[in-house]
Structure formats: C-alpha cells, structure tokens
Amino acid sequence: MQTEGNTKRKRPKKKGNRFLQNAKGFAKQGIYGRGTHIDDEQYSYFINILDAMKAGFEDTEERLNMANNVFEQTIDQEVHLASNQIVSKALESLVGFVDNTQLERFFEKFGSTLRPICSDRFASHVLQKMVEIAFLRGVGQSAVSEANDDAGASKRAKPDAAQVEEEYNLSADFSEEHREACRQFVLRISKFMLNNLEDFVWDTCASHIMRTGILCLVGMHVPKIAFEKGGAEIAKHRKMYTVPDEWQEVMKEFPQRLEMWPQFPELPYQEHSSALLGIICLALSVTDKNLLKHFGKKILTLSLLLPNDEENDEDEKKDEDIKIEINDDEDGDKKEEETNSNENDEKKEDAPVLPKVFHHQSSVILLETLLGVAGAKLLTQLYAMLFCGKVAYLAQQHQTNFSVQRLLQHIKEVSDFEAVFTELQPEVEQLLRMGYTGVVSALSAACLRLSSKQSQMIAAMQSALHVTGDKEKSKMFFTCLIKLKPFEIIGTDESGSVNLHGSLIAQHLLQFNKPIFLVNCILDLPASQLAQVFNTPNGSHIVDAFMQSKFIGEKSRERLIRQLDGFYVDLAITRHGSRVLEECFKASQEAQKARIAKELFSKANMLKGSPYGRLIYTKYRLDTYKLSPSQWQESLSKQLGSEKPKEGKRKTPKTAVEAFKDILS
C-alpha cells in the first residue's frame, strides 16, 4: 500500500531539555537565535529568563513579577523581538501572567501588522498563545461549562504550569473593560483568519493560529505549551466554556466557505489543510450536529472516496515495463523476474481496491477524527462506503489499523457492528500474530458496549490461542489471554509480565453476560501465579473487573478472595498489589475481612517497611486490631457505614461499564 512519502506514523519528539544547551552553544559562535537579529545583551537576558523558568517558580506572584518585567523590556520592539526564536519562547511562556496593560499593548502592536506576523515562524507562536489567553480572560470563570465536571474527574496529561495559567486567567480580578478587549481580540483575529482563508489554509504558521481561533470560537480550550507539541489528544484533554452566540456564527462560516472551493477535494491530502478540517469537525460536534453531518458527508463524497491516482500511475508503469521485457529477449533471469512479478500480482489481486483516503497519513488521521465525532447516520455512511468488505484487510495494515480501532470504538448500529465482527472473526489469530492486538482489544470492547457477539468473541479468542478441544489446554486460557500468546509458546514463557491489550481483553470478557468459562480458568490457577499476575500494572486491573462485573456471582468473588489468603502481605507492600488488596477487602464479608487483617497484622513490620504497606496499615486501622480484634471490627463497620452516605451523594452509582469507560473508549 502506498503512503505519503512512504512514511510511518512518527511519535512527536520531546523538546526542551537540549534547547537551552544548544542555544548557549550557538551564542558562543555569535548566532543569537534564529529569526530576527538581537544583540548579545538582549540574548543573554532572555537566555537567563528561560533558565529561571526552567528552574520553576515558588508561587504565582513570582510568575507575575517576572512576566511583567520581561514584557517591559519589549516596549517599542514587540514584533521585532517576538520574531526571534529565543525571545518567542520566553514571551509565549509568560504571556499568560502579564497584567492587562502589557497584554493590551501587545494586542495593539500585533494588530497593526497581522499578516506578516501570522506567517512568521516565531512571532506566530506568540500570537497563537495570545489568542488562547485572550479567550480565557474574555470568558472568565462564570463561563465554565457543566460538561467539565466529568472531564475534571478523569486523569489529565496536562502539566501543572498549564493548570496554574488557566486558573489564573479565568479567576484573576481583571476589569470588565479588559475582558471586553480580550473578547474583541479573539473575534478580530478569527475574522482576519476567515477573510484571508485562501492564503492561510496552506500556511504552516497561520494554520495553527486559525485552528486555535476556531476552537476558541466554540468555547473549547486546549492549552498551547511552549517546548511541547500538541494536537494529538485534543478530543480527550479539552475544556468547554460558554461563549457568545456571535462567535459560533463566525465559526460556522469556515466550513461553509471551504466547501465551496474547487480545491476542497484535495484538502484532506495535505497536512495543514487536513488538520484544519479535523478541527472544524471537532468544533461542529459541540455546536451544530446538522452542519457536522452535512460537512462530513461533503468530505466523504468529494474527498475520501476519490480513487487512488498513485495506484493507476503504477499500473501504467508496470504495463510499460512488461512491454519492454517482451521486446528484450533475455533468458534465465527474465523468467525469474516474471515469476516474482506474477507472485506480487497475485498478492495485489487479493488486496481490495482502496480509495485514496487510505494511502495518505493526513487523510487517515482526518478520517479517524471524523469517526470520533460523527453521529449514527454519518458513521453508518462512513462504514458502508469506506470500510464494508475491507475491514479485515485494513486491520492488518500498519497505517490503517488505527482507523479500524476508531470505527470499533464509535460504531453505533448493532447491525453494522455484526457485519464488522463477521469480517474480523476469522482474522483474530492473524492479527495477534502480526502484533495488531489493539484491533482485537477494540473488538472485544465493542462486543461489551453493544452487548453483541459476546460468546463468539470468547470462542474466537480460544481458537486464536489454540486452547480448544482439550480440557488441559482450556485451563490455560486465562494465562494465554493475558500474554496474548498461543498454548504452544506459553509453556516456555516464565516471565510475570502481562500484555496491556491482553489485560484489557480479559477485563472485557469478565464483564460479558456469560463469563463463567474465564472465571473458572482464573479460579483454577495456583494462588502464587494469581498473586504474581495481580501484582503487575496491567494485571491489577483484572481484579477490578472481576469484583465489579454484574455477571460474576458472589460465591466466585469469595472464592477468589479466599484463594489469595497467604499472599495479601506480598500484595500490600507494592504499588499495584495494594490496589488489588483494597478491591478484595471492599468485596469481602466480615469474617474474611478479619482473616485479611489478621494476616496483615502478623507481618506488621514488613508492612510498615513499605510506603504502600504503611498506607494500608493506617487505612485499615491495624493498630486498633492489635488492641482488640472485636473492637477493630466494630470501628471498621462504623467507618464503612459513615462512608455510604457520601457515596450516595453521587447523581448515579457507577456501573462496571462506566467504571471502565476510559479503557473502553
């Protein structure tokens, strides 16, 4: 399969650690940062500022003082200095903490020369950050959306500095005049981008500013952090705010103008224009579902379904080569080449003809974004036109297996899912062999989410791991599953490691309607082996699924808890094992709780020697157990009883599926 420049997906490189070292090294050679030229004194000043920022700040007050002092050094040189690589980094990192006078001065200076700044590879970063800060100050704390309650509860991969910056700009005591100036700045930059859309869609620097502006217009905040790349996890780490209706109307003009362009069909096949379409789809998903459906259908029919030109060109070249070979009358080697080319042709004949979307990384990423935000009707159209009949092939390709995973994560119609399952079921073993275990995990998650094809999924996993048809082999199903290795190989694997996707699949299967086969496999394992599995980062979550599954009986839970007797101290003194102990303790009856406490107390010194063990010792009041076991049991019952009303304050109790929502999505 052809790819854009034959490139694979690359992980973003981490910047920052060597940036300052390189900058100081270049300064010795008389190179004072890229971009506009600054003198030695200014360069040294800003290098020292970046050094101080890297060391960190004691409090927000210190940040504010430094930000205002630095911005005062830029008076009458704002644009010139911002266009230097080193100064740009400093200004971008500190602009969130300047006072209203300094920020409004930058609004004015940048506003008078917007066009060159938007295309400048350093000043554009400062402008992009200014739009973000103006947005936060403009909406204020009162605009925080209720939808953020759930997002705030989930873990965020956001640095502390970004959280401090966001909180300061939302809640600081700015005047209403300053907040209005910030709102006008966001609107002005966004309208400027809209009016110059034809020029800026293809511009590397301006495209980023445009994307930030679009997100701000719909009230979506994703922090831009100096020294770090962003964008890949926008849908996960976003915050929503209430914005004026006028902003949303301006945002809707972006897709309406773009779809009228004659170049619209080619937009998904270039990096920056494709990313812009993805951001527009994400923005429409929170503002106008009908426009999203219309815009998504336009992208699908006009762009994604285009035939692959590169493939046609290759076929033409091949025909020419064959003609040349026929005219060239050579012996032995020619026959060998012909047989090799025939074999390749046979392989290509087996492969389905794929539309252009699957041959370019930028368009594949756009498709994944579209699958993530599409409604039921658009999702069915995407499946029917792009995936139907090709799912098994796409799942086995490096560039497209992520698209299949995204389809499985969001597919809504049971009939569509059953068709996908029918295609993938015979290929489960091949997917595991090729290392595309994420597709299998997404398939089992979809079975759980849609309550469909669950028994067939278990059977497919048994067959893929070669544990069918023999009682002894069947007992090894859980061990093979968590390592995702077939029965023949598992005998030689003595490591205690647990495969991430193997653990996820096991968690999904335990929450199926009839998980009894897997439950028995777990309970038949020796306690020492179970403790080893549960003491790993991936394996510990299997206990969560076991204890929280609605379809696993009380007796099975009790049996697992009893089976771990003698290993609770080993679990308690490790990070992941202590979580397992807490889950088991929570699900235990009173008598079993007492047995666990007795076992823990018998090795109290060992417990206190570990930071995790000390937490367990304190949490379960084992010092009280030492004085009187009966008194301990009574105090523990009161403690657990007092915690129940707090849990009752939640809107709805969490089901097992909700508890694993992050894993399943």
Side-chain angles (χ1 to χ4, degrees):
M1 184 170 58
Q2 295 293 318
T3 59
E4 205 170 37
N6 293 323
T7 55
K8 294 182 178 180
R9 291 193 174 198
K10 296 177 182 177
R11 292 183 179 178
K13 293 179 182 177
K14 289 187 177 179
K15 297 181 180 180
N17 290 337
R18 294 191 56 81
F19 178 79
L20 285 175
Q21 293 176 21
N22 292 338
K24 291 171 184 176
F26 284 124
K28 292 175 183 176
Q29 302 170 31
I31 302 170
Y32 301 124
R34 296 173 183 174
T36 54
H37 178 76
I38 59 175
D39 60 41
D40 183 21
E41 189 179 338
Q42 285 177 317
Y43 188 82
S44 299
Y45 173 76
F46 283 103
I47 283 288
N48 291 335
I49 291 297
L50 290 174
D51 265 329
M53 286 163 54
K54 190 177 178 183
F57 299 93
E58 290 184 8
D59 52 28
T60 306
E61 192 64 36
E62 194 177 338
R63 286 177 190 270
L64 298 175
N65 291 334
M66 177 178 280
N68 288 318
N69 290 337
V70 168
F71 272 68
E72 279 175 11
Q73 303 300 315
T74 66
I75 293 175
D76 296 330
Q77 301 182 76
E78 292 86 355
V79 177
H80 176 77
L81 289 174
S83 301
N84 177 273
Q85 182 187 23
I86 301 300
V87 184
S88 168
K89 290 289 183 188
L91 297 180
E92 182 187 339
S93 302
L94 292 170
V95 69
F97 296 95
V98 295
D99 60 30
N100 52 358
T101 308
Q102 304 276 19
L103 187 60
E104 287 178 29
R105 173 167 57 85
F106 264 69
F107 286 169
E108 185 183 340
K109 296 292 184 180
F110 273 48
S112 59
T113 52
L114 272 179
R115 182 173 285 278
I117 287 175
C118 288
S119 299
D120 187 277
R121 57 180 175 161
F122 302 120
S124 61
H125 287 276
V126 181
L127 178 58
Q128 185 185 350
K129 188 67 181 179
M130 283 164 59
V131 172
E132 179 197 329
I133 298 304
F135 162 74
L136 289 172
R137 293 189 181 184
V139 297
Q141 187 69 46
S142 59
V144 178
S145 171
E146 291 179 6
N148 292 329
D149 294 343
D150 295 334
S154 62
K155 289 184 181 178
R156 290 181 172 278
K158 213 165 56 167
D160 291 340
Q163 293 173 355
V164 170
E165 180 184 79
E166 183 176 16
E167 183 60 32
Y168 170 75
N169 285 287
L170 286 172
S171 55
D173 189 21
F174 296 115
S175 66
E176 186 54 39
E177 290 77 14
H178 178 59
R179 293 193 184 276
E180 181 58 31
C182 289
R183 287 192 286 269
Q184 290 304 319
F185 183 74
V186 172
L187 201 56
R188 179 186 177 186
I189 299 299
S190 302
K191 285 184 175 179
F192 181 78
M193 290 291 160
L194 183 63
N195 294 333
N196 294 275
L197 197 57
E198 291 81 359
D199 300 326
F200 290 158
V201 161
W202 321 105
D203 190 293
T204 305
C205 301
S207 176
H208 285 87
I209 302 169
M210 196 185 308
R211 285 179 245 165
T212 297
I214 288 170
L215 291 176
C216 290
L217 289 175
V218 298
M220 193 181 295
H221 176 238
V222 180
K224 181 187 189 309
I225 304 161
F227 298 101
E228 291 188 23
K229 286 191 176 184
E233 301 291 317
I234 283 180
K236 289 182 181 177
H237 305 301
R238 68 188 187 197
K239 265 194 170 185
M240 294 302 303
Y241 296 89
T242 305
V243 293
D245 293 338
E246 181 192 358
W247 288 18
Q248 297 188 5
E249 293 306 314
V250 172
M251 182 270 145
K252 290 175 189 177
E253 287 189 49
F254 282 92
Q256 288 166 355
R257 288 196 188 183
L258 282 175
E259 67 182 32
M260 292 189 291
W261 283 16
Q263 308 99 314
F264 182 78
E266 293 303 317
L267 292 181
Y269 303 105
Q270 296 189 33
E271 183 183 353
H272 297 296
S273 54
S274 173
L276 176 64
L277 292 181
I279 289 294
I280 289 173
C281 290
L282 190 62
L284 288 175
S285 70
V286 296
T287 55
D288 193 328
K289 300 280 186 185
N290 288 329
L291 185 53
L292 170 64
K293 185 167 70 174
H294 168 77
F295 190 63
K297 195 173 179 181
K298 280 267 187 182
I299 294 173
L300 171 63
T301 53
L302 297 181
S303 299
L304 305 186
L305 284 171
L306 288 175
N308 184 36
D309 300 331
E310 291 175 15
E311 219 168 58
N312 298 335
D313 294 343
E314 275 189 5
D315 290 340
E316 286 174 17
K317 283 180 185 176
K318 193 173 286 177
D319 291 341
E320 286 174 17
D321 292 343
I322 290 168
K323 284 175 187 174
I324 292 165
E325 280 179 8
I326 290 168
N327 293 335
D328 257 353
D329 216 5
E330 312 236 342
D331 18 295
D333 292 339
K334 193 186 90 169
K335 287 180 183 176
E336 227 176 280
E337 284 174 18
E338 280 178 359
T339 52
N340 289 339
S341 66
N342 288 337
E343 283 175 15
N344 291 335
D345 288 343
E346 282 174 19
K347 285 180 183 176
K348 284 205 170 183
E349 280 174 20
D350 293 339
V353 178
L354 297 177
K356 189 175 180 180
V357 58
F358 293 117
H359 295 268
H360 297 263
Q361 183 177 331
S362 59
S363 55
V364 168
I365 292 172
L366 173 61
L367 173 60
E368 290 172 17
T369 302
L370 202 51
L371 288 168
V373 299
K377 192 172 179 181
L378 179 57
L379 201 57
T380 298
Q381 290 174 332
L382 288 166
Y383 164 68
M385 295 184 184
L386 296 176
F387 291 93
C388 189
K390 309 180 189 79
V391 174
Y393 177 78
L394 292 170
Q396 295 174 45
Q397 307 306 310
H398 177 80
Q399 177 134 325
T400 56
N401 79 88
F402 296 103
S403 303
V404 175
Q405 291 182 46
R406 189 60 62 92
L407 174 69
L408 287 166
Q409 287 165 3
H410 296 281
I411 200 163
K412 294 176 173 64
E413 298 295 332
V414 175
S415 57
D416 291 344
F417 169 68
E418 288 175 350
V420 173
F421 186 89
T422 303
E423 284 191 60
L424 286 177
Q425 186 179 10
E427 306 299 328
V428 169
E429 183 176 349
Q430 180 66 11
L431 288 166
L432 295 180
R433 192 181 292 123
M434 295 174 75
Y436 297 139
T437 53
V439 178
V440 183
S441 174
L443 186 64
S444 64
C447 290
L448 174 62
R449 181 170 56 85
L450 297 170
S451 298
S452 176
K453 297 288 183 182
Q454 294 184 352
S455 58
Q456 290 92 328
M457 184 68 208
I458 295 174
M461 291 306 302
Q462 288 175 281
S463 175
L465 297 170
H466 303 169
V467 295
T468 52
D470 186 281
K471 195 174 181 181
E472 289 306 311
K473 284 184 179 180
S474 297
K475 287 182 179 178
M476 296 295 291
F477 178 51
F478 176 68
T479 308
C480 293
L481 181 62
I482 59 174
K483 293 178 181 291
L484 287 184
K485 293 179 180 177
F487 177 79
E488 295 79 10
I489 298 175
I490 210 71
T492 58
D493 185 354
E494 296 178 359
S495 68
S497 62
V498 176
N499 182 284
L500 171 62
H501 288 129
S503 171
L504 290 173
I505 295 167
Q507 292 171 53
H508 300 150
L509 267 54
L510 285 170
Q511 295 176 85
F512 280 5
N513 293 342
K514 293 180 180 177
I516 187 64
F517 178 73
L518 182 58
V519 168
N520 288 335
C521 289
I522 293 173
L523 296 176
D524 287 342
L525 280 181
S528 57
Q529 192 175 338
L530 278 178
Q532 186 183 25
V533 169
F534 295 158
N535 229 334
T536 61
N538 298 330
S540 63
H541 291 283
I542 296 171
V543 178
D544 299 348
F546 196 102
M547 296 301 170
Q548 295 171 22
S549 173
K550 294 185 288 185
F551 302 102
I552 295 178
E554 201 63 44
K555 288 184 179 178
S556 296
R557 289 197 188 95
E558 287 176 13
R559 189 175 157 193
L560 178 66
I561 293 165
R562 282 200 308 274
Q563 197 162 340
L564 291 172
D565 280 348
F567 292 91
Y568 283 115
V569 175
D570 295 335
L571 292 170
I573 59 176
T574 64
R575 179 181 179 181
H576 303 288
S578 60
R579 281 189 60 262
V580 172
L581 184 145
E582 289 188 47
E583 279 296 323
C584 291
F585 196 87
K586 200 188 302 179
S588 297
Q589 301 296 329
E590 295 300 322
Q592 182 62 35
K593 281 187 172 78
R595 281 198 295 273
I596 293 173
K598 185 178 180 181
E599 181 183 335
L600 294 175
F601 182 72
S602 66
K603 295 183 179 178
N605 290 337
M606 192 174 172
L607 223 61
K608 291 176 182 177
S610 154
Y612 307 106
R614 280 198 298 275
L615 287 171
I616 292 291
Y617 188 91
T618 307
K619 180 172 182 177
Y620 294 123
R621 301 183 176 184
L622 294 180
D623 48 353
T624 309
Y625 183 87
K626 178 183 178 181
L627 300 172
S628 168
S630 57
Q631 189 181 342
W632 169 83
Q633 200 154 6
E634 190 180 331
S635 66
L636 192 68
S637 300
K638 285 180 182 177
Q639 181 188 346
L640 294 173
S642 64
E643 286 175 1
K644 284 180 183 177
K646 292 179 184 177
E647 291 174 1
K649 286 180 183 178
R650 291 178 182 169
K651 292 177 184 176
T652 51
K654 278 193 175 183
T655 64
V657 175
E658 290 168 338
F660 287 91
K661 189 177 178 183
D662 291 337
I663 294 173
L664 299 173
S665 60

